[in-house]
Amino acid sequence: QVPLVESGGGSVQAGGSLNLSCQVSDIPGYTFSELCLGWLRQTPEKEPEGVATIDRDGLTHYADSVQGRFTISKDHSQNLLNLQITSLKPEDTAVYICAARLSGLCTINYATRFRSRGQGTQVTVSS
């Protein structure tokens, strides 16, 4: 398990922006650069869904619902995973969860299989 701690959630109006961050701690045998990282989101009514992933080579993958509005990135100097969210919609309201996996595929379809997860940070978008 990779220790993950999210920050940056909040309440915004539709059309607004937020920047989420996830502090990724080191674990024995793996470096930050070797991890497959991603963001999930969950509401009380739904199962967690993959939002974005970024693989070891920096290739990014997004859910269709957020393509063009969300940007996932890594800050190697601080072991941070970031998610820039723009043009927020009320349907983006959810708990956003940082996730990681040590091996396996890193595309958006596999995001919900990432076993290491943080506690999540709430994003609330009002209309």
Side-chain angles (χ1 to χ4, degrees):
Q1 294 287 333
V2 181
L4 305 164
V5 179
E6 303 93 338
S7 61
S11 298
V12 297
Q13 290 190 327
S17 301
L18 281 173
N19 291 315
L20 308 183
S21 292
C22 174
Q23 185 67 57
V24 182
S25 296
D26 290 331
I27 61 171
Y30 290 86
T31 64
F32 177 75
S33 298
E34 294 174 309
L35 298 175
C36 166
L37 298 167
W39 289 92
L40 313 175
R41 66 185 180 185
Q42 184 172 20
T43 65
E45 302 82 20
K46 296 182 181 179
E47 293 291 318
E49 64 168 337
V51 172
T53 62
I54 184 165
D55 68 17
R56 301 161 187 82
D57 297 320
L59 293 177
T60 58
H61 309 268
Y62 297 94
D64 290 343
S65 59
V66 307
Q67 182 76 47
R69 300 188 297 122
F70 289 19
T71 303
I72 189 172
S73 63
K74 293 190 288 188
D75 181 343
H76 291 267
S77 67
Q78 300 187 69
N79 279 21
L80 284 176
L81 175 70
N82 299 311
L83 185 68
Q84 182 179 20
I85 309 175
T86 63
S87 301
L88 277 160
K89 305 175 182 180
E91 52 263 42
D92 292 320
T93 295
V95 175
Y96 283 71
I97 303 164
C98 178
R101 73 181 330 188
L102 304 180
S103 61
L105 294 176
C106 199
T107 55
I108 194 64
N109 290 341
Y110 289 86
T112 55
R113 300 187 189 187
F114 294 9
R115 293 188 175 183
S116 294
R117 299 184 182 183
Q119 292 298 308
T121 185
Q122 178 70 44
V123 172
T124 302
V125 186
S126 57
S127 58

